[in-house]
Amino acid sequence: KRAALEAAEAAFKSPEPKSKLALFGENNILDKDGGRASMTDIKASVIALYFSAHWCGPCRGFTPKLIRKYKQLREAGHALEIVFVSSDRSASDAEFYYDEMPWRILDYEDREMKNLLSRVYDVSGIPSLVLLAADGSLITDEGRSVLMETPFDKIPEFKTYKQQAAARVDRFIASLPETVKRQCACGPDTELSKMKGPYKAAHGHDMFGCDICSENGD
């Protein structure tokens, strides 16, 4: 059994460009009406695996946000599908939680596939959102922030988009003067020196400010 698990994990992680959706199994994806399908039947440019559970407080906080984003993207005509991969303690708990979700769910009874997916995508905590391309190849395992903040048409090529965005930030930083003078809590005309430090803001830009009063620069 261990050998079979390792072989399945290796198949998921293989660099081969062929579709990996068949590796998810047969007829283990359920829709809101109870209909069964396989991952190969899902036609979407981005497929998200949502690892979550009702007992998890942060999950219950994130799920409504994800529902709003999902509906917004779908109403805008974007080809997005989400599959709920439950970490609930029972099938009834998973069903109760799934009732509020508008997307699909991996059959709760297929615990072997759930555990395999958690291993393959290194899901160590929930909520976690893994984004896959149409062929099942991994786009990013940081899907929570990517889906919420990235233009949808850039997501399939997210690695390239991220590199280009980082390059734009680097060019912006390089264009700034080495020192500036502005009013801060330390007094008028305090000179601030440009530094690229270890602390990053949530949006990815470097922070600039006064090391004495800790006020951010403009």
Side-chain angles (χ1 to χ4, degrees):
K1 189 172 182 181
R2 175 180 291 180
L5 180 62
E6 290 175 349
E9 188 174 357
F12 267 101
K13 294 182 177 180
S14 168
E16 290 292 323
K18 62 183 180 182
S19 176
K20 293 181 171 58
L21 293 180
L23 300 173
F24 284 79
E26 294 291 331
N27 297 319
N28 57 357
I29 307 298
L30 283 67
D31 61 25
K32 296 301 293 184
D33 298 321
R36 288 182 171 271
S38 302
M39 284 287 280
T40 51
D41 298 319
I42 296 178
K43 307 303 178 186
S45 58
V46 176
I47 302 172
L49 303 179
Y50 182 39
F51 296 83
S52 185
H54 186 262
W55 54 259
C56 166
C59 297
R60 294 196 305 273
F62 178 68
T63 296
K65 299 176 184 178
L66 184 59
I67 290 173
R68 287 194 295 271
K69 188 67 174 181
Y70 174 79
K71 290 181 176 179
Q72 175 190 355
L73 291 172
R74 296 270 292 193
E75 289 169 2
H78 295 300
L80 167 68
E81 189 52 85
I82 298 178
V83 177
F84 171 40
V85 183
S86 175
S87 295
D88 287 293
R89 298 186 177 100
S90 68
S92 59
D93 286 349
E95 184 177 353
F96 175 79
Y97 190 28
Y98 179 58
D99 278 346
E100 67 186 75
M101 302 177 188
W103 43 70
R104 307 189 192 210
I105 181 175
L106 173 71
D107 188 347
Y108 183 84
E109 301 303 327
D110 197 347
R111 294 287 85 189
E112 190 169 306
M113 179 55 63
K114 183 269 176 187
N115 294 332
L116 175 60
L117 295 175
S118 295
R119 281 173 57 102
V120 167
Y121 299 115
D122 195 24
V123 178
S124 57
I126 55 175
S128 180
L129 197 66
V130 174
L131 302 186
L132 307 177
D135 63 355
S137 59
L138 178 65
I139 296 175
T140 179
D141 57 7
E142 300 176 356
R144 288 174 59 190
S145 60
V146 172
L147 187 65
M148 293 294 182
E149 300 170 6
T150 307
F152 187 82
D153 60 344
K154 303 295 184 183
I155 292 178
E157 301 296 333
F158 177 69
K159 291 181 180 177
T160 300
Y161 173 78
K162 185 176 181 180
Q163 291 170 350
Q164 292 172 343
R168 287 195 297 272
V169 172
D170 286 342
R171 289 195 296 271
F172 168 72
I173 292 171
S175 72
L176 296 175
E178 292 301 316
T179 59
V180 294
K181 289 186 177 182
R182 67 179 292 267
Q183 178 83 29
C184 79
C186 294
D189 296 327
T190 301
E191 186 175 87
L192 302 178
S193 299
K194 180 176 72 173
M195 298 183 68
K196 190 172 184 178
Y199 299 102
K200 302 273 188 177
H203 49 64
H205 294 177
D206 288 289
M207 297 298 291
F208 296 86
C210 177
D211 289 335
I212 300 173
C213 69
S214 299
E215 184 179 339
N216 288 342
D218 291 332

